[in-house]
């Protein structure tokens, strides 16, 4: 039985940062993490992207859905350990890379066979899994897991979603963090979060003003200071009118 269930979409920078933190904690506490699938594109299927998000968001979320199809097939054919490796490889190839010379071209490249092929190679998985990118038959699996996450948290959430001590433990959207803590701080932070999660009356702590995730793809280096503050509304930096 897993100690933590973690719902991720590969194109969510906050989900990647939080997953790196959870991996630090899991290594020290010997936790077993079960990676689950949640699609931002399916989550926002009722949304007018042009009205609610900056340009390019819909394409990015569609790329995430395509990669989640590969993740669903990977788990079905190769098991949960293979999905663990794939989740790490997704993040490393999307977020832990040097800033691209042409960010727009890079975003269009996400979720294409040329992009995903080296990810599968890093994860030690066969290249024929690329066929799942365009196979919408896997969308039913992803939809089911997205709906499961929402049944545990309610619908006004994004990614990541973590369930503590599944299948009966409490689940929350987040924690949303912008910086990767040091190993000792990672465990301390985890214990504080667990303390809140185990209190039956706790529901939410939130602010939309966030530091931009300190990720290499956005030019962050280990010696960089605090990142710029941005106001994220419903997972978007677009200002509401």
């Amino acid at each position: 039985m897993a100690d933590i269930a973690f719902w991720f979409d590969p194109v969510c920078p906050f989900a990647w940062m939080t997953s790196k933190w959870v991996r630090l904690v899991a290594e020290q506490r010997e936790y077993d993490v079960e990676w689950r699938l949640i699609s931002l594109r399916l989550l926002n299927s009722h949304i007018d992207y042009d009205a609610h998000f900056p340009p390019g968001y819909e394409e990015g979320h569609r790329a995430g859905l395509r990669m989640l199809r590969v993740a669903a097939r990977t788990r079905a054919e190769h098991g949960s350990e293979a999905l663990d490796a794939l989740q790490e490889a997704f993040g490393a190839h999307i977020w832990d890379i040097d800033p691209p010379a042409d960010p727009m071209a890079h975003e269009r490249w996400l979720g294409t066979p040329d992009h995903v092929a080296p990810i599968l190679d890093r994860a030690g998985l066969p290249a024929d899994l690329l066929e799942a990118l365009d196979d919408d038959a896997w969308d039913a699996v992803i939809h089911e897991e997205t709906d499961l996450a929402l049944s545990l948290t309610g619908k006004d959430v994004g990614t990541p979603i973590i369930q503590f001590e599944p299948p009966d433990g409490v689940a929350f959207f987040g924690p949303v963090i912008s910086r990767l803590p040091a190993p000792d701080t990672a465990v301390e932070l985890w214990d504080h979060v667990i303390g809140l999660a185990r209190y039956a009356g706790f529901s939410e702590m939130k602010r939309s003003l966030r530091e931009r995730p300190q990720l290499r793809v956005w030019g962050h280096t280990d010696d960089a200071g605090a990142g710029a503050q941005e106001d994220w509304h419903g997972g978007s930096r677009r200002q509401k009118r």
Side-chain angles (χ1 to χ4, degrees):
M1 183 67 67
D3 301 290
I4 305 163
F6 190 113
W7 278 260
F8 77 99
D9 187 315
V11 297
C12 176
F14 291 108
W16 173 240
M17 184 64 77
T18 300
S19 76
K20 294 174 73 173
W21 165 55
V22 166
R23 285 182 180 276
L24 281 177
V25 174
E27 182 178 355
Q28 296 180 73
R29 289 287 173 84
E30 298 184 349
Y31 287 155
D32 180 32
V33 181
E34 179 184 10
W35 301 101
R36 307 298 296 268
L37 314 178
I38 182 169
S39 167
L40 288 167
R41 186 63 190 86
L42 297 179
L43 198 64
N44 293 295
S45 60
H46 63 293
I47 292 292
D48 179 349
Y49 271 79
D50 290 338
H52 287 79
F53 294 107
Y57 258 59
E58 184 169 14
E59 291 78 6
H61 287 180
R62 287 190 185 279
L65 177 58
R66 287 164 57 81
M67 288 184 272
L68 286 171
R69 292 169 181 167
V70 175
R73 180 175 167 183
T74 294
R75 184 179 56 193
E77 296 184 0
H78 301 279
S80 58
E81 289 187 8
L83 180 56
D84 176 87
L86 182 60
Q87 189 274 339
E88 187 277 335
F90 274 139
H93 276 260
I94 296 171
W95 303 111
D96 289 347
I97 60 172
D98 291 333
D102 186 343
M104 295 300 293
H106 175 74
E107 290 181 8
R108 290 192 297 269
W109 183 56
L110 295 179
T112 65
D114 286 344
H115 172 240
V116 177
I119 293 175
L120 292 173
D121 184 64
R122 177 185 174 116
L125 294 167
D128 64 359
L129 290 169
L130 290 172
E131 297 168 3
L133 286 169
D134 296 311
D135 187 355
D136 61 8
W138 293 103
D139 291 4
V141 175
I142 300 164
H143 215 309
E144 181 179 0
E145 293 204 10
T146 299
D147 287 347
L148 174 59
L150 299 184
S151 75
L152 297 171
T153 61
K155 295 182 179 180
D156 188 20
V157 295
T159 53
I161 288 174
I162 295 178
Q163 185 179 27
F164 306 91
E165 300 169 348
D168 299 319
V170 68
F172 286 107
F173 162 44
V176 174
I177 60 173
S178 296
R179 309 180 205 175
L180 183 65
D184 55 341
T185 308
V187 172
E188 180 183 5
L189 178 60
W190 178 260
D191 288 339
H192 288 312
V193 172
I194 285 289
L196 287 172
R198 285 179 172 160
Y199 175 61
F202 175 69
S203 177
E204 180 180 30
M205 289 179 64
K206 182 177 180 179
R207 64 179 184 143
S208 63
L209 188 64
R210 306 176 189 172
E211 179 183 76
R212 195 178 201 200
Q214 296 193 2
L215 296 165
R216 184 177 162 194
V217 72
W218 288 335
H220 172 72
T221 58
D222 290 339
D223 58 353
Q229 295 283 319
E230 298 176 319
D231 200 354
W232 290 64
H233 302 272
S236 167
R237 286 161 289 163
R238 186 185 186 100
Q239 296 298 308
K240 301 304 181 189
R241 298 181 220 179

